[in-house]
Amino acid sequence: MYSWTLITGDVPQTPDARSFRQSLASFPTGVCLVTTVSPDGKREGMTINSFASVSLAPPLILWSIRDDARSADSFIGGPHFILSVLASSQRAIAMHFARPAQDKFADWSNDFEEGIGGCPRLRESVATFECTTYSRYQEGDHTILLGRVESHSKTSALPLVLHMGEMGSLSDLAKTLATR
């Protein structure tokens, strides 16, 4: 594991956090749901937008989690996770899993089935990646998780997109931007 600071010796200047987040929000991104199961069997899930492909051989993807997230220990220490790219029709589930709750799955149990390592797998999504945790890198206030894709699937559903704090389909966001 290495970090840019260790390679260059640079001490990065901390930008204004709010301004930095606003700049990052200018990049349109997909919205995903990532799930795992803790060692004691508790299902964990959260909405993310930090997903990227890494490698085709071996098949690797990555996402990151804030180290102080309530479910961070389960994701960082867990052997498996499932990442689902959400459809434009799944805004409600994205919003639900973005907020803290004792049992996020209670009202959504019919939408999930058991996947790799007992992780909850969303029954419908644009794409699903069932992963074995391949490596972890702690950088700044987040940990980057790389997953080796053990199985994947896709549908023809349209993706849910996040841009400048707005979430919707590509056409919804285009209409919103046109009125600004």
Side-chain angles (χ1 to χ4, degrees):
M1 179 171 84
Y2 62 88
S3 74
W4 188 252
T5 302
L6 295 174
I7 293 171
T8 64
D10 292 344
V11 178
Q13 299 298 314
T14 303
D16 171 60
R18 184 176 187 171
S19 174
F20 184 53
R21 285 178 65 100
Q22 289 172 341
S23 293
L24 291 172
S26 67
F27 181 69
T29 184
V31 180
C32 302
L33 176 67
V34 65
T35 63
T36 195
V37 62
S38 70
D40 66 358
K42 185 174 189 290
R43 298 174 297 176
E44 299 284 2
M46 63 189 305
T47 302
I48 64 163
N49 67 339
S50 60
F51 164 64
S53 62
V54 175
S55 171
L56 295 176
L60 300 175
I61 62 170
L62 70 75
W63 67 282
S64 64
I65 185 169
R66 191 172 172 100
D67 292 330
D68 64 0
R70 185 188 53 75
S71 57
D73 289 344
S74 296
F75 282 106
I76 294 168
H80 301 99
F81 63 85
I82 298 177
L83 188 143
S84 300
V85 178
L86 296 179
S88 60
S89 62
Q90 294 176 309
R91 187 177 191 283
I93 198 166
M95 296 300 291
H96 174 76
F97 277 85
R99 296 184 180 105
Q102 189 62 30
D103 181 2
K104 292 184 181 183
F105 296 87
D107 295 335
W108 297 88
S109 59
N110 291 336
D111 293 271
F112 291 89
E113 59 193 8
E114 189 171 305
I116 189 170
C119 297
R121 179 179 51 225
L122 193 58
R123 291 181 190 275
E124 296 180 21
S125 65
V126 174
T128 300
F129 302 90
E130 296 193 54
C131 299
T132 299
T133 302
Y134 188 78
S135 60
R136 303 160 185 87
Y137 299 92
Q138 200 282 326
E139 299 292 343
D141 61 2
H142 278 65
T143 296
I144 302 162
L145 294 158
L146 273 79
R148 180 184 174 96
V149 179
E150 305 297 345
S151 68
H152 61 89
S153 61
K154 67 178 182 66
T155 68
S156 60
L158 297 175
L160 184 61
V161 180
L162 179 67
H163 180 255
M164 298 303 291
E166 300 289 331
M167 197 180 330
S169 68
L170 289 170
S171 61
D172 291 340
L173 294 178
K175 290 174 192 170
T176 299
L177 289 172
T179 61
R180 286 189 180 172

